C-alpha cells in the first residue's frame, strides 16, 4: 500500500483536517478530517482548509468604478486593474483560427474553444515541466488535420432507416449564438422541464430538458446490442479506425445505448457502473474526450491560418476559444485509475512521441500487487496498483506528441483526484489561490463517484463551485477570440458533465439537480428494479428493519440517535446484565464517522451504557489498535464492537466472532450489507459459536434512506416499508 506520505508535512496538509488524528492505515487512500461531512443530503459546505499554492496578485486601481450590467465590461475592468506596468511582459500566445459567429440555425465552419496562455501554473504535486513550446501558437498550417473538418453531418441507421445527423460538436459549441443561448436559459428558468421517466432494457431512464425528443428505439434491446459506428458519431477520421475497435466493445449493452447521448454533449448521471461494463464505458468516454480535444484544436488552428493570410485580420470575428486552454477535467479516485484512463487515450491517439512518459509510468503505476486474493473483486479492482489519492496531472496534445506533466494553462486535459485538485486551487480567502485554469472547462468526467464519496465528497463540491467561473487574471487571453457565452458567464449551461457510479446516492442526486445545467438536457440511468441484498446473504437468519421518523434530512442524525437509545441500547444493556446467552459478539456498523463519534462517546460516558464493554475500529484506528480490538471482541472481553463504513471500504476486514449485527445506518453499497450482515455471521455459525436461531441483523432506517433501502430489501418490499404500513418493524428471514 502507498504510504501516507502527505501526512508527513502537516504544514501543507491543512486541507484534510484542522487537527488530524493518528492515522489508521499507512496508505494514502484516506485523507479525511476527524469530523467529515455527514453522509446525508445537505447544503454544500465550504469549511475545509486548503494547502498553499502559487501566488496570485489581487490589487485594484479602479475602486470607484461602478460595474456595468454586462459581465464582459466588469471582467475587463477587473483584469486591467491587475496589470502592473513594471512587470515584465509575458510570452504571448499566437492564436489562430476563428469563425464568424454562427446563427442558431445556419451552419458555418468550425469555431473551437481553445485558450492561449502560457502563464504561471499552480504547481503540480509531481512538478509540471515548463512548457517552452506552445502547441497552437507555433503550429504551422500543415499541422491542421485535413480530414473531416468540413463534414458536419453523418449517416446513422435507426430501425433500418438512414438518417442524416448533424455533428454534435458543431451543433453544441460552434452553432451557438450568445443571444439565442440566453433565451434558451431563460426559457428553462421560466418553464422548467418536467422529468420524463421511461423503462428500457432493465433500466430506469430519467430525462430532463431535451431540445429534441429521442427515438425510443435508441434504448431498445437491438440498439443496445448493435455495433456503434464511429462515423455515425462523427468521430474524426484520424481516430475513426482505432475508435471503431473500442466502440465495438462499448456497443454491447447499456454503454452502446447511451453513446449518442454522450456524444451529443448531454449531461449524464450513470448509476449502473459495474466491473463488467467499466471498460466499455471508459472506451466510450476516451473516444469522446479525444475527439472533442482534436476538433477544438483543429478549429483554432484553421482560424489561425485564416487570420495570418488575411490582409485585414481585424475585420474577422473569430470567437473560437475560452479564457484558458484546458477543456476537459477528469476526476478519478486513485493514480492507478488515472493511469488506466490515460493509457486508453494515448493508445487511441498513437502519437509519435510521448514526453515524460517514463516519469509518468514510475509515478502513476505499480506492477506489484500486494492485495490478497481473499479480498472481494471490487476491492481489488479499485485498489490494485498505485492507490494514492493525492494527484493531479496535465496532458497536452500536439499533432505528433503527447506531453505528460504539462502546466495546467498549457494542458488540454486535467486529470486529478478531488483532493489533489483542491490543494492546487488553494484555501478560500487565502492570498495564494488559483482556479482560473477551470474557467473554460467544457467536459467534466467523474469516474467511480461511489469511491469518491468514501474519500471526501466536499472536495468534489468545491471543485464544481470553481468550474466555469470568470477568471481573476487575463492569462494572456485574447478576448477578441473568446466566445460570447464565456464572456456572459453562461459556460456552465454549455458544459457537459458525465458522472459514473455503481449506485445512486443523495449527494449524486444533488449534483444532478444543481450542477447539471446543460441546455442540451440531462439523463439519469439506474437499474429499474432491485431484488435486494437480503436474499443474497447465503445464510438463513432473521433480519429486522426498524423505522423511525425524521421530518427532514437535517434532523436525521438526531432522530436516528434517539431511536438508537430507545430501541437498541436497552437490548444491549439487558443482554449484558443477564450473563447468559449471547452476551457478546454484537457488531454495530455505523456508516458515518460523525455518528460513530457520537455513539462512541455515549457508550463511554453515559450511565445507561456503563455496563457495556466495547471496542471500536474506525478509519483512523492504528493497526495495533485494530488488532487489539478484534482480539478482545473475539475472546468476549468486549461484548460490542463499533465499526465504521469507511474503515470497511478501505480495509475490508473480516471480523470474527460476530453473532449479531446492528446497522446504525444502512450502507450505500449493498455489497457491504451482504458482507457484514451475511458473511461475518455465516463464519461464526460455521465455527459453531452460534446457531442461526440465536443470530440476526437489526437495521435502523427512515424515509430519507429510500435509495439505499431499495438496494438492500428490494423494490417490491420497499413500498410497504416506507409508507402504507402502521407498523415500524419489519422482519424477514
Amino acid at each position: 500500500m502507498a504510504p501516507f506520505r502527505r501526512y508527513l508535512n502537516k504544514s501543507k496538509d491543512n486541507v484534510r483536517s484542522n487537527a488530524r488524528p493518528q492515522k489508521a492505515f499507512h496508505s494514502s487512500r484516506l485523507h479525511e478530517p476527524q469530523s467529515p461531512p455527514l453522509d446525508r443530503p445537505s447544503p454544500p459546505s465550504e469549511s475545509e482548509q486548503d494547502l498553499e499554492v502559487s501566488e496570485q496578485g489581487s490589487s485594484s486601481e479602479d475602486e470607484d468604478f461602478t460595474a456595468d450590467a454586462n459581465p464582459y465590461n466588469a471582467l475587463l475592468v477587473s483584469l486591467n486593474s491587475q496589470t502592473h506596468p513594471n512587470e515584465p511582459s509575458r510570452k504571448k500566445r499566437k492564436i489562430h483560427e476563428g469563425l464568424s459567429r454562427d446563427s442558431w440555425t445556419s451552419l458555418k465552419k468550425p469555431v473551437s474553444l481553445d485558450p492561449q496562455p502560457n502563464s504561471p501554473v499552480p504547481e503540480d504535486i509531481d512538478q509540471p515541466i515548463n512548457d517552452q513550446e506552445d502547441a497552437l501558437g507555433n503550429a504551422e498550417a500543415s499541422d491542421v488535420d485535413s480530414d473531416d473538418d468540413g463534414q458536419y453531418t453523418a449517416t446513422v441507421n435507426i430501425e433500418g432507416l438512414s438518417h442524416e445527423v448533424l455533428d454534435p460538436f458543431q451543433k453544441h459549441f460552434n452553432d451557438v449564438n450568445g443571444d439565442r443561448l440566453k433565451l434558451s436559459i431563460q426559457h428553462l428558468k421560466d418553464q422548467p422541464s418536467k422529468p420524463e421517466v421511461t423503462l428500457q432494457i432493465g433500466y430506469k431512464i430519467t430525462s430532463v430538458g431535451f431540445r429534441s425528443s429521442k427515438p425510443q428505439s435508441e434504448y431498445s434491446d437491438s440498439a443496445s446490442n448493435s455495433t456503434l459506428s464511429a462515423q455515425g458519431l462523427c468521430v474524426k477520421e484520424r481516430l475513426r479506425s482505432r475508435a471503431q475497435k473500442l466502440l465495438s466493445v462499448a456497443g454491447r449493452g447499456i454503454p452502446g445505448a447511451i453513446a449518442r447521448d454522450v456524444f451529443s454533449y448531454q449531461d449524464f448521471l450513470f448509476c449502473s457502473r459495474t466491473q463488467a461494463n467499466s471498460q466499455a464505458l471508459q472506451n466510450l468516454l476516451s473516444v469522446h474526450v479525444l475527439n472533442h480535444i482534436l476538433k477544438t484544436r483543429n478549429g483554432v488552428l484553421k482560424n489561425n491560418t485564416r487570420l495570418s493570410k488575411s490582409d485585414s485580420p481585424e475585420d474577422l470575428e473569430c470567437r473560437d476559444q475560452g479564457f484558458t486552454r484546458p477543456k476537459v477535467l477528469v476526476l478519478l479516485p486513485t493514480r492507478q485509475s488515472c493511469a488506466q484512463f490515460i493509457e486508453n487515450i494515448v493508445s487511441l491517439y498513437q502519437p509519435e512521441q510521448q514526453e515524460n512518459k517514463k516519469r509518468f509510468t514510475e509515478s502513476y503505476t505499480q506492477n506489484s500487487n500486494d492485495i490478497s486474493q481473499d479480498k472481494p473483486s471490487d476491492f481489488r479492482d479499485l485498489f490494485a496498483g498505485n492507490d494514492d489519492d493525492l494527484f493531479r496531472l496535465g496532458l497536452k496534445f500536439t499533432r505528433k506528441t503527447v506531453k505528460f506533466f504539462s502546466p495546467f494553462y498549457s494542458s488540454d486535459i486535467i486529470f486529478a483526484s478531488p483532493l489533489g485538485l483542491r490543494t492546487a486551487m488553494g484555501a478560500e480567502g487565502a492570498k495564494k489561490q488559483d482556479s482560473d485554469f477551470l474557467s473554460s472547462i467544457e467536459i467534466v468526467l467523474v469516474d467511480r463517484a461511489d469511491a469518491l464519496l468514501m474519500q471526501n465528497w466536499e472536495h468534489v463540491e468545491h471543485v464544481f463551485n470553481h468550474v466555469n467561473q470568470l477568471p481573476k487574471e487575463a492569462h494572456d487571453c485574447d478576448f477578441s477570440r473568446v466566445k460570447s457565452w464565456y464572456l456572459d458567464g453562461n459556460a456552465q449551461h454549455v458544459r457537459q458533465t458525465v458522472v459514473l457510479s455503481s449506485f445512486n446516492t443523495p449527494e449524486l442526486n444533488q449534483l444532478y439537480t444543481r450542477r447539471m445545467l446543460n441546455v442540451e438536457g440531462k439523463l439519469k440511468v439506474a437499474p429499474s428494479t432491485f431484488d435486494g441484498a437480503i436474499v443474497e446473504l447465503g445464510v438463513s437468519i432473521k433480519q429486522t428493519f426498524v423505522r423511525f421518523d425524521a421530518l427532514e434530512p437535517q434532523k436525521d442524525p438526531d432522530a436516528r440517535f434517539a431511536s438508537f437509545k430507545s430501541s437498541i441500547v436497552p437490548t444491549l444493556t439487558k443482554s449484558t446484565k443477564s450473563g447468559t446467552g449471547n452476551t457478546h459478539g454484537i457488531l454495530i456498523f455505523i456508516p458515518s464517522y460523525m455518528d460513530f463519534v457520537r455513539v462512541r462517546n455515549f457508550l463511554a460516558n453515559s450511565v445507561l451504557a456503563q455496563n457495556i464493554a466495547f471496542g471500536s475500529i474506525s478509519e483512523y484506528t492504528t493497526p495495533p489498535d485494530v488488532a487489539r480490538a478484534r482480539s478482545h471482541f473475539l475472546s468476549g472481553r468486549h461484548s460490542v464492537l463499533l465499526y465504521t463504513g469507511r474503515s470497511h471500504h478501505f480495509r475490508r476486514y473480516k471480523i470474527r466472532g460476530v453473532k449479531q449485527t446492528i446497522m446504525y445506518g444502512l450502507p450505500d453499497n449493498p455489497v457491504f450489507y451482504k458482507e457484514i450482515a451475511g458473511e461475518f455471521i455465516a463464519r461464526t455459525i460455521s465455527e459453531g459459536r452460534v446457531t442461526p436461531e440465536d443470530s440476526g441483523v437489526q437495521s435502523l432506517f427512515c424515509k430519507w434512506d429510500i435509495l439505499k433501502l431499495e438496494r438492500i430489501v428490494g423494490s417490491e418490499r420497499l413500498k410497504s416499508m416506507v409508507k402504507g404500513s402502521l407498523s415500524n418493524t419489519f422482519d424477514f428471514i
Side-chain angles (χ1 to χ4, degrees):
M1 304 291 175
F4 272 122
R5 56 188 180 81
R6 292 296 163 181
Y7 287 155
L8 300 179
N9 191 346
K10 293 185 179 180
S11 63
K12 293 185 179 181
D13 281 336
N14 293 334
V15 66
R16 302 174 192 157
S17 160
N18 292 334
R20 180 171 301 284
Q22 190 175 9
K23 304 305 169 293
F25 312 125
H26 299 287
S27 163
S28 55
R29 298 174 191 159
L30 297 176
H31 301 282
E32 281 286 349
Q34 185 173 6
S35 300
L38 289 175
D39 309 355
R40 301 176 177 84
S42 58
S45 171
E46 298 181 0
S47 61
E48 288 283 346
Q49 300 297 317
D50 283 326
L51 295 179
E52 292 187 3
V53 287
S54 58
E55 184 148 7
Q56 176 175 315
S58 59
S59 61
S60 175
E61 300 175 1
D62 300 308
E63 297 179 355
D64 58 340
F65 174 76
T66 302
D68 189 271
N70 188 339
Y72 179 38
N73 294 338
L75 175 65
L76 288 178
V77 170
S78 66
L79 295 173
N80 290 335
S81 66
Q82 297 177 13
T83 302
H84 302 280
N86 298 327
E87 186 179 79
S89 60
R90 296 170 179 167
K91 174 184 174 183
K92 287 195 174 181
R93 177 177 182 174
K94 183 180 177 184
I95 306 288
H96 320 140
E97 278 274 304
L99 232 223
S100 301
R101 190 183 304 173
D102 300 357
S103 66
W104 187 262
T105 55
S106 63
L107 283 176
K108 297 184 179 179
K109 294 289 181 183
V111 228
S112 286
L113 296 138
D114 210 71
Q116 24 238 357
N118 225 359
S119 34
V121 188
E123 290 191 0
D124 189 1
I125 295 169
D126 302 296
Q127 287 296 331
I129 305 298
N130 289 331
D131 215 359
Q132 299 298 330
E133 175 191 0
D134 190 296
L136 298 186
N138 297 330
E140 301 294 337
S142 59
D143 287 340
V144 180
D145 290 339
S146 58
D147 50 19
D148 59 337
D149 291 291
Q151 175 183 339
Y152 302 119
T153 62
T155 302
V156 297
N157 188 286
I158 300 178
E159 294 186 338
L161 299 177
S162 297
H163 298 266
E164 291 291 327
V165 296
L166 181 68
D167 182 355
F169 178 86
Q170 307 297 336
K171 174 188 175 185
H172 189 63
F173 292 105
N174 298 342
D175 194 32
V176 176
N177 178 277
D179 295 335
R180 182 60 183 267
L181 179 62
K182 291 178 183 178
L183 292 176
S184 298
I185 295 171
Q186 190 61 43
H187 176 75
L188 292 175
K189 291 180 179 179
D190 295 341
Q191 300 179 10
S193 300
K194 295 182 179 180
E196 297 181 4
V197 180
T198 58
L199 300 178
Q200 299 284 341
I201 58 175
Y203 292 89
K204 180 172 69 174
I205 302 165
T206 306
S207 58
V208 178
F210 287 106
R211 284 175 174 167
S212 59
S213 59
K214 173 183 301 303
Q216 292 294 319
S217 60
E218 283 199 23
Y219 289 110
S220 66
D221 292 309
S222 59
S224 64
N225 292 323
S226 62
T227 301
L228 289 174
S229 166
Q231 181 178 3
L233 295 174
C234 298
V235 175
K236 282 180 65 66
E237 186 175 345
R238 173 179 177 177
L239 306 176
R240 198 165 290 168
S241 61
R242 296 186 294 275
Q244 187 61 58
K245 296 179 181 179
L246 295 180
L247 293 175
S248 63
V249 177
R252 303 185 185 99
I254 190 65
I258 67 175
R260 289 190 179 88
D261 301 307
V262 172
F263 274 78
S264 296
Y265 291 95
Q266 295 156 6
D267 287 339
F268 215 94
L269 173 58
F270 186 78
C271 303
S272 299
R273 186 188 184 279
T274 64
Q275 294 181 58
N277 64 26
S278 60
Q279 187 59 53
L281 290 169
Q282 188 177 100
N283 291 346
L284 179 67
L285 294 175
S286 297
V287 174
H288 178 51
V289 165
L290 189 55
N291 187 54
H292 177 81
I293 292 297
L294 295 187
K295 287 187 175 182
T296 296
R297 176 182 180 275
N298 221 49
V300 174
L301 292 177
K302 278 191 171 182
N303 281 344
N304 289 346
T305 304
R306 289 184 58 206
L307 289 173
S308 63
K309 293 181 178 181
S310 175
D311 295 333
S312 54
E314 64 279 358
D315 296 335
L316 295 177
E317 185 180 19
C318 300
R319 296 197 175 273
D320 57 359
Q321 300 169 25
F323 298 113
T324 55
R325 176 167 180 164
K327 289 292 171 287
V328 178
L329 172 64
V330 183
L331 298 179
L332 296 154
T334 66
R335 286 185 178 238
Q336 195 70 36
S337 62
C338 175
Q340 293 170 355
F341 205 112
I342 290 178
E343 290 293 350
N344 218 34
I345 291 178
V346 173
S347 64
L348 177 64
Y349 190 57
Q350 291 190 357
E352 295 182 7
Q353 292 181 330
Q354 299 182 46
E355 296 186 24
N356 309 316
K357 177 63 182 296
K358 181 179 179 181
R359 177 185 167 195
F360 167 75
T361 302
E362 293 174 350
S363 301
Y364 279 77
T365 62
Q366 181 176 312
N367 295 328
S368 61
N369 189 356
D370 56 356
I371 298 180
S372 171
Q373 292 299 314
D374 293 337
K375 297 292 185 181
S377 60
D378 63 313
F379 181 87
R380 298 196 306 270
D381 179 62
L382 176 59
F383 293 117
N386 192 334
D387 60 6
D388 186 6
D389 68 353
L390 180 58
F391 65 91
R392 52 185 180 268
L393 171 72
L395 202 63
K396 171 182 174 180
F397 293 85
T398 64
R399 181 169 175 78
K400 299 180 180 180
T401 305
V402 170
K403 183 169 185 176
F404 298 86
F405 300 103
S406 60
F408 281 176
Y409 288 101
S410 299
S411 301
D412 295 297
I413 308 178
I414 296 175
F415 293 87
S417 65
L419 175 62
L421 193 59
R422 184 166 186 177
T423 57
M425 295 163 61
E428 291 290 339
K431 292 183 179 179
K432 298 180 180 180
Q433 56 178 328
D434 184 11
S435 60
D436 289 352
F437 53 85
L438 299 176
S439 63
S440 302
I441 294 294
E442 295 170 356
I443 300 177
V444 176
L445 302 183
V446 182
D447 195 9
R448 298 177 185 254
D450 49 304
L452 299 181
L453 283 164
M454 300 303 290
Q455 293 179 359
N456 191 337
W457 190 251
E458 187 180 349
H459 296 329
V460 178
E461 294 176 338
H462 183 83
V463 170
F464 272 94
N465 285 338
H466 290 80
V467 173
N468 296 135
Q469 298 297 308
L470 293 175
K472 297 178 181 179
E473 293 185 1
H475 302 288
D476 298 331
C477 177
D478 181 357
F479 287 93
S480 67
R481 305 208 35 191
V482 176
K483 290 190 174 182
S484 58
W485 35 269
Y486 277 117
L487 301 173
D488 295 334
N490 290 327
Q492 62 180 337
H493 296 287
V494 183
R495 181 193 74 226
Q496 181 187 33
T497 303
V498 179
V499 180
L500 306 181
S501 176
S502 298
F503 44 79
N504 195 9
T505 68
E507 293 85 354
L508 296 182
N509 273 337
Q510 185 182 65
L511 181 68
Y512 177 80
T513 302
R514 298 185 180 182
R515 303 297 184 182
M516 297 187 181
L517 306 174
N518 197 328
V519 293
E520 289 292 341
K522 55 187 176 183
L523 276 175
K524 177 165 59 176
V525 175
S528 56
T529 58
F530 295 89
D531 295 331
I534 63 174
V535 300
E536 302 175 8
L537 294 191
V539 60
S540 179
I541 58 176
K542 183 179 180 180
Q543 303 176 64
T544 302
F545 293 83
V546 180
R547 183 177 63 191
F548 65 91
D549 293 327
L551 298 180
E552 51 190 42
Q554 291 79 4
K555 295 182 179 180
D556 179 285
D558 294 334
R560 189 178 299 272
F561 184 63
S563 178
F564 173 76
K565 290 193 297 182
S566 62
S567 61
I568 304 297
V569 173
T571 304
L572 296 177
T573 305
K574 182 178 179 181
S575 63
T576 303
K577 287 183 178 180
S578 65
T580 60
N582 297 317
T583 59
H584 59 274
I586 301 174
L587 184 142
I588 302 179
F589 175 79
I590 309 176
S592 166
Y593 184 79
M594 293 287 289
D595 288 335
F596 166 79
V597 172
R598 190 174 194 176
V599 173
R600 183 191 61 189
N601 293 344
F602 171 79
L603 295 180
N605 304 318
S606 175
V607 177
L608 299 176
Q610 60 183 353
N611 295 322
I612 301 176
F614 74 95
S616 63
I617 298 177
S618 75
E619 51 267 38
Y620 301 112
T621 308
T622 62
D625 289 339
V626 170
R628 187 179 302 109
R630 295 178 66 179
S631 176
H632 289 175
F633 181 69
L634 178 62
S635 66
R637 184 173 178 178
H638 289 163
S639 59
V640 175
L641 179 64
L642 306 183
Y643 189 46
T644 65
R646 294 181 72 243
S647 178
H648 190 69
H649 170 77
F650 287 105
R651 286 304 185 190
R652 293 294 181 90
Y653 292 121
K654 295 185 177 181
I655 309 295
R656 295 181 60 191
V658 179
K659 300 177 181 179
Q660 296 185 42
T661 299
I662 295 174
M663 293 282 181
Y664 186 88
L666 296 172
D668 282 313
N669 192 341
V671 175
F672 288 7
Y673 185 88
K674 291 187 290 185
E675 292 175 351
I676 297 172
E679 294 179 9
F680 288 4
I681 295 178
R683 181 173 182 176
T684 308
I685 294 174
S686 66
E687 293 174 347
R689 298 175 182 271
V690 70
T691 63
E693 293 76 16
D694 293 331
S695 60
V697 184
Q698 189 171 357
S699 306
L700 300 177
F701 76 95
C702 68
K703 63 181 180 180
W704 307 112
D705 297 327
I706 186 170
L707 291 176
K708 60 183 75 173
L709 182 64
E710 182 180 16
R711 292 189 287 269
I712 291 173
V713 303
S715 303
E716 289 299 322
R717 302 176 187 88
L718 175 71
K719 301 174 183 178
S720 60
M721 294 177 65
V722 175
K723 57 183 179 179
S725 176
L726 299 178
S727 174
N728 290 327
T729 303
F730 306 87
D731 294 326
F732 304 98
I733 297 179

